[in-house]
């Protein structure tokens, strides 16, 4: 599988037009995190380095074809003194498959400060690598993500918050050391954020086979971090119904700093043919 630096490498076709690279994949449809990550890279390349991305909001409109490149068109919506806004449309075969708005903020503003406390969980070193699990390692998704170290926190080894419908926690990091470029780590986190999050909605429904795909995705970058360092992805699903599920995630670094927040709605249709496996490609079916 390609490394994250290769996946996020784009070709500039025009001033505000970019083409994503194509890489071998075991998935039938383009992974949603790849589309979002490449879209964010294209937006970043049109913004002055004095501004850092602080949020993105994206919609998965059509399934992506992983065998052909996606072209990203960037609209320079606003260039202000403190904030910059970009709109990005990902296109394949003349049709939009993804649209995203990204907002950038000039560093240096002062304001109030607070953050949630990281849940108490076992350290990553106390948990097995998902690649050591024969069932997980054989699945399409984990083969696709073999460059990532994923360690699921067992439900019995972490304190649950009373009253929440569904909860799941996963330690994650990129296995290889990445360059120090903060933008690379932010775009890598956009890729990572689509991993496992919709699975939180399945926690109260063991054994139920669903057709699963991302519908929309919002993300806020709160504090500096490294994607090649351990990040705890604290996930919940407050509601599911009518074939859709809402999921939320908070990301903490190993020191307990809350570095990002994610909200995602996904398709969760009951799969009538129970012999079929979950379809978790990260994009709309």
């Amino acid at each position: 599988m390609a490394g994250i630096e290769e996946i996020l490498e784009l070709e500039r076709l025009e001033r505000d037009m970019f083409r994503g690279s194509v890489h071998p994949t075991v998935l039938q449809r383009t992974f949603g995190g790849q589309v979002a990550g490449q879209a964010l890279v294209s937006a970043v390349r049109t913004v002055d380095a004095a501004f850092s991305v602080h949020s993105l909001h994206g919609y998965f409109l059509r399934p992506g074809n992983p065998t052909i490149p996606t072209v990203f068109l960037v609209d320079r919506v606003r260039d202000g003194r403190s904030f910059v806004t970009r709109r990005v449309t990902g296109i394949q075969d003349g049709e939009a498959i993804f649209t995203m708005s990204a907002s950038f903020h000039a560093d240096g503003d002062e304001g109030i400060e607070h953050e949630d406390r990281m849940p108490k969980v076992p350290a990553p070193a106390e948990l097995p690598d998902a690649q050591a699990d024969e069932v997980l390692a054989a699945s399409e998704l984990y083969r696709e993500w073999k460059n990532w170290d994923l360690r699921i926190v067992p439900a019995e080894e972490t304190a649950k918050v009373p009253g929440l419908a569904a909860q799941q926690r996963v330690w994650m990091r990129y296995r290889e050391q990445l360059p120090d470029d903060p933008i690379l780590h932010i775009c890598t986190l956009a890729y990572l954020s689509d991993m496992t999050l919709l699975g939180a909605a399945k926690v109260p429904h063991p054994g139920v086979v669903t057709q699963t795909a991302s519908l929309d995705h919002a993300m806020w970058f709160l504090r500096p971090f490294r994607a090649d360092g351990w990040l705890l992805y604290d996930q919940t699903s407050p509601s599911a119904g009518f074939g859709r599920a809402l999921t939320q995630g908070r990301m903490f670094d190993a020191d307990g700093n809350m570095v990002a927040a994610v909200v995602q709605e996904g398709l969760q249709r009951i799969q009538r043919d129970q012999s079929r496996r979950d379809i978790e490609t990260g994009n709309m079916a």
Side-chain angles (χ1 to χ4, degrees), residues 84-99:
V84 169
T85 305
R86 295 290 184 262
R87 182 181 299 114
V88 184
T89 303
I91 297 175
Q92 287 187 343
D93 285 333
E95 293 186 318
I97 66 167
F98 181 73
T99 182

Side-chain angles (χ1 to χ4, degrees), residues 117-139:
R117 183 178 299 176
M118 184 175 75
K120 292 184 178 180
V121 296
E126 301 173 25
L127 301 171
D129 186 336
Q131 294 293 340
D133 186 308
E134 293 184 4
V135 176
L136 290 178
S139 70

Side-chain angles (χ1 to χ4, degrees), residues 143-164:
R143 282 190 286 137
E144 185 75 8
W145 298 338
K146 69 177 185 179
N147 291 328
W148 296 89
D149 193 342
L150 307 177
R151 307 199 180 194
I152 300 172
V153 178
E156 65 275 11
E157 295 186 30
T158 180
K160 295 299 183 66
V161 179
L164 298 187

Side-chain angles (χ1 to χ4, degrees), residues 18-220:
F18 303 85
R19 179 163 55 202
S21 51
V22 176
H23 302 282
T25 176
V26 299
L27 302 178
Q28 295 182 350
R29 295 168 181 156
T30 309
F31 174 55
Q34 175 178 317
V35 178
Q38 290 182 344
L40 186 57
V41 171
S42 67
V44 166
R45 291 194 179 180
T46 69
V47 176
D48 187 275
F51 293 84
S52 299
V53 61
H54 72 89
S55 68
L56 64 84
H57 296 71
Y59 284 90
F60 297 91
L61 306 176
R62 293 180 175 87
N65 182 343
T67 66
I68 64 175
T70 303
V71 173
F72 298 93
L73 307 180
V74 182
D75 181 11
R76 300 180 185 233
V77 177
R78 179 176 183 266
D79 286 274
R81 288 183 297 179
S82 295
F83 289 90
V84 169
T85 305
R86 295 290 184 262
R87 182 181 299 114
V88 184
T89 303
I91 297 175
Q92 287 187 343
D93 285 333
E95 293 186 318
I97 66 167
F98 181 73
T99 182
M100 181 185 77
S101 294
S103 181
F104 299 75
H105 184 210
D107 294 335
D109 284 353
E110 295 184 1
I112 62 173
E113 292 188 21
H114 63 258
E115 60 181 307
D116 285 350
R117 183 178 299 176
M118 184 175 75
K120 292 184 178 180
V121 296
E126 301 173 25
L127 301 171
D129 186 336
Q131 294 293 340
D133 186 308
E134 293 184 4
V135 176
L136 290 178
S139 70
E140 288 185 348
L141 282 182
Y142 282 95
R143 282 190 286 137
E144 185 75 8
W145 298 338
K146 69 177 185 179
N147 291 328
W148 296 89
D149 193 342
L150 307 177
R151 307 199 180 194
I152 300 172
V153 178
E156 65 275 11
E157 295 186 30
T158 180
K160 295 299 183 66
V161 179
L164 298 187
Q167 302 173 62
Q168 176 174 265
R169 289 162 182 158
V170 185
W171 283 105
M172 297 178 165
R173 69 173 176 179
Y174 193 69
R175 291 184 183 276
E176 303 297 329
Q177 184 173 353
L178 295 171
D180 293 334
D181 180 10
I183 296 299
L184 173 62
H185 289 266
I186 287 173
C187 294
T188 298
L189 197 67
Y191 180 101
L192 175 154
S193 65
D194 197 33
M195 294 181 185
T196 74
L197 183 55
L198 288 180
K202 295 290 295 297
V203 171
H205 311 280
V208 178
V209 180
T210 60
Q211 180 186 16
T212 305
S214 303
L215 297 174
D216 61 5
H217 195 90
M219 191 168 187
W220 294 263

